[in-house]
Amino acid sequence: MTDVEELDLSEPLEALISCIVDDLPRHGGALVRLLAHAPGAWVGFDEIVRGDLTLGSLLRDATVPYGVSLLASWLAAPSPSGAARVVVTVYSPEWNGIAGTILFDRDALVAAQN
């Protein structure tokens, strides 16, 4: 039996995170749902991708075969330009690792959603 911490989840996790980052107009709703929670709160990734069939499928591909879950948390991030930046950390407790990070400007997210 393979120890879950030794699994290479990089490809399915990268596909999931990249999908959000690369298409904010279509998948930015996941970030909007995360931002509805308090900064620093850990939120199940299944909750933030709810209703997005593409992200839901990618989430299943990245978690179900490996028996892991994903959580996300956000914090405000400093910006030299004064933009309202946010950094998101995606973490897997079972995998015991940072599954990915997302850095974005809140203004870009709002513009993408309109």
Side-chain angles (χ1 to χ4, degrees):
M1 186 165 176
T2 305
D3 184 359
V4 72
E5 291 181 21
E6 295 176 10
L7 294 172
D8 181 6
L9 306 178
S10 58
E11 192 171 311
L13 291 172
E14 184 178 325
L16 175 62
I17 303 300
S18 294
C19 188
I20 296 170
V21 173
D22 294 341
D23 195 350
L24 279 181
R26 187 165 169 212
H27 302 296
L31 298 174
V32 170
R33 286 186 285 284
L34 178 61
L35 292 174
H37 294 272
W42 289 102
V43 181
F45 222 77
D46 55 333
E47 179 181 335
I48 65 171
V49 303
R50 186 176 303 130
D52 186 317
L53 297 177
T54 301
L55 293 180
S57 177
L58 289 170
L59 176 62
R60 284 187 297 282
D61 291 349
T63 58
V64 173
Y66 308 104
V68 300
S69 62
L70 294 178
L71 303 170
S73 182
W74 71 275
L75 291 172
S79 167
S81 68
R85 277 198 182 150
V86 174
V87 64
V88 174
T89 302
V90 182
Y91 172 72
S92 173
E94 299 85 7
W95 189 45
N96 195 29
I98 302 298
T101 56
I102 301 169
L103 178 65
F104 66 94
D105 291 337
R106 285 184 96 147
D107 293 341
L109 178 63
V110 169
Q113 294 297 292
N114 292 327

